Amino acid sequence: MKRIAVLTSGGDAPGMNAAIRAVVRSGHYHGLEVYGVIRGYTGLINGDIRPLSLRSVGDIIHRGGTILYSARCKEFQTEEGRKKAVEQLRKHEIDGLVVIGGDGSFRGAQKLTALGFPAVGVPGTIDNDIPGTDFTIGFDTAVNTVIDCIDKIRDTATSHERTYVIEVMGRNAGDIALWSGLADGAESILIPESPYDLDDVVRRLKQATESGKKHSIIIVAEGVGSGVEFAEKIKEKLSVETRVTVLGHVQRGGSPTAFDRVLASRMGAKAVDLLRAGEKDKMVAIQNNKLVGIDFDEAFSMKHQPDMELYDLAKILSI
Ligand code: ADP
């Protein structure tokens, strides 16, 4: 292996730049040439592929977003599109590809490998919804952004003694809601992995008020449904003033936390190690703080589950 390329694909996540930097720097360290593909699979098909020098990734470890840009590419979903992508890779004499992205991007990477081109994945998504890895790059930053927002909302919630419903991201996974809810002492956390009981939520709200709490915070994962609609249901059951905040894309930006920078650095370097060892069709994962490479098929055969012990703990601690 002499020349490798790296791209970012799908939804961006804070820490992707740190992962790109790690691929470039560790690639160069091991005597490889490293290229960057602009706009994910779109750039691959269009041949938007450029050399990345050691210095080209300076001053990015602390930046959110991705210097390589990210995109969703319909053409890559077709065999014809993927063949064009492989042609471009061969034209640029690239021997292996690192795909930083989510599960959709990994399915794409797997199909490249099926066409004979070695590709490996680095899990980058704020949702933490990729099976086989304890954490994905960007999740910790998103949780920290959420708790920063909730801390601020909490101040005004206390002043006005209100109930706040906060809708957070996570697609079909409840991880962001769960971690931010536990970290912020939310009265209720609603996640798609555990059906909620409206009466129980209402009972907990009443209990909170009766025990002297000045405000209540309910976190709703987007996978459960609309926070606005949920707040309406609460209002119908309890005549309390309820405010809703939908945090939205603020969760996808910002400077990555130390945890995400370290995770991204480790994972990016591990991806280069996998390619150098002749591995393909694998994604980098972190399991019990150990980096491993696992087959895409193995990852796809599992179902992501958030840590339900945290869910139970949050219930106990928020009484
Ligand atoms: P994420 O990687 O964040 O899950 P997407 O699901 O949007 O984001 O996937 C990113 C891109 O990966 C898509 O735009 C498409 O080009 C490619 N992709 C997704 N799923 C597949 C698939 N099943 N086969 C081939 N390519 C895919």
Side-chain angles (χ1 to χ4, degrees):
M1 190 136 318
K2 287 202 176 103
R3 190 178 284 178
I4 60 169
V6 55
L7 62 79
T8 48
S9 167
D12 70 340
M16 279 186 164
N17 279 328
I20 295 167
R21 172 180 177 272
V23 171
V24 172
R25 294 266 167 95
S26 79
H28 280 272
Y29 176 84
H30 291 295
L32 302 174
E33 291 173 41
V34 188
Y35 279 58
V37 183
I38 310 300
R39 290 187 194 83
Y41 293 129
T42 307
L44 209 52
I45 289 172
N46 298 336
D48 205 348
I49 301 171
R50 306 166 190 180
L52 291 174
S53 69
L54 272 179
R55 297 277 77 78
S56 69
V57 289
D59 215 17
I60 65 166
I61 195 167
H62 62 302
R63 290 187 204 281
T66 157
I67 59 160
L68 294 177
Y69 301 98
S70 189
R72 295 200 157 91
C73 174
K74 280 222 165 91
E75 198 182 349
F76 194 78
Q77 307 253 23
T78 66
E79 181 88 6
E80 205 191 331
R82 291 192 293 274
K83 281 188 176 153
K84 276 194 210 167
V86 172
E87 266 169 40
Q88 289 290 355
L89 285 162
R90 301 233 188 271
K91 197 172 119 193
H92 287 81
E93 297 179 4
I94 288 163
D95 308 308
L97 178 69
V98 177
V99 172
I100 305 170
D103 57 345
S105 304
F106 289 174
R107 288 187 193 277
Q110 195 173 32
K111 288 184 178 163
L112 274 183
T113 304
L115 287 175
F117 194 87
V120 296
V122 170
T125 164
I126 63 163
D127 304 321
N128 209 40
D129 61 350
I130 301 185
T133 186
D134 296 344
F135 294 106
T136 58
I137 297 165
F139 168 67
D140 184 66
T141 305
V143 169
N144 276 280
T145 299
V146 171
I147 65 168
D148 188 39
C149 295
I150 297 176
D151 289 347
K152 288 175 175 145
I153 288 169
R154 183 188 276 281
D155 289 343
T156 172
T158 306
S159 307
H160 293 276
E161 299 178 74
R162 272 181 190 142
T163 296
Y164 258 89
V165 173
I166 297 161
E167 183 191 310
V168 302
M169 283 182 156
R171 291 204 300 184
N172 296 318
D175 297 55
I176 294 179
L178 184 52
W179 281 68
S180 55
L182 179 59
D184 232 310
E187 272 60 44
S188 287
I189 305 169
L190 275 48
I191 58 172
E193 293 84 357
S194 175
Y196 74 87
D197 170 4
L198 187 59
D199 290 332
D200 183 53
V201 177
V202 168
R203 188 189 55 75
R204 293 174 72 83
L205 281 178
K206 276 191 189 152
Q207 187 184 314
T209 315
E210 281 159 19
S211 70
K213 286 198 184 183
K214 295 292 177 209
H215 63 251
S216 288
I217 300 223
I218 303 170
I219 310 224
V220 180
E222 67 176 341
V224 170
S226 152
V228 176
E229 282 169 22
F230 181 77
E232 287 300 323
K233 288 185 194 166
I234 293 284
K235 246 191 245 171
E236 274 169 27
K237 289 255 177 186
L238 266 181
S239 40
V240 288
E241 266 219 77
T242 308
R243 292 282 187 274
V244 187
T245 303
V246 179
L247 288 179
H249 281 80
V250 69
Q251 295 159 92
R252 286 253 292 265
S255 178
T257 56
F259 181 90
D260 273 331
R261 295 181 200 192
V262 172
L263 181 67
S265 300
R266 293 173 74 190
M267 285 184 157
K270 177 73 179 178
V272 172
D273 288 347
L274 288 178
L275 286 177
R276 286 173 55 239
E279 301 274 17
K280 53 190 180 247
D281 214 21
K282 286 198 162 163
M283 69 168 231
V284 178
I286 188 157
Q287 297 174 344
N288 301 320
N289 203 25
K290 287 267 171 297
L291 285 186
V292 289
I294 59 171
D295 288 336
F296 281 135
D297 268 344
E298 190 191 337
F300 294 148
S301 72
M302 293 186 255
K303 193 173 155 22
H304 168 74
Q305 245 327 80
D307 185 346
M308 294 309 281
E309 278 181 23
L310 298 184
Y311 184 70
D312 297 336
L313 180 63
K315 277 202 163 178
I316 294 170
L317 299 187
S318 63
I319 50 171

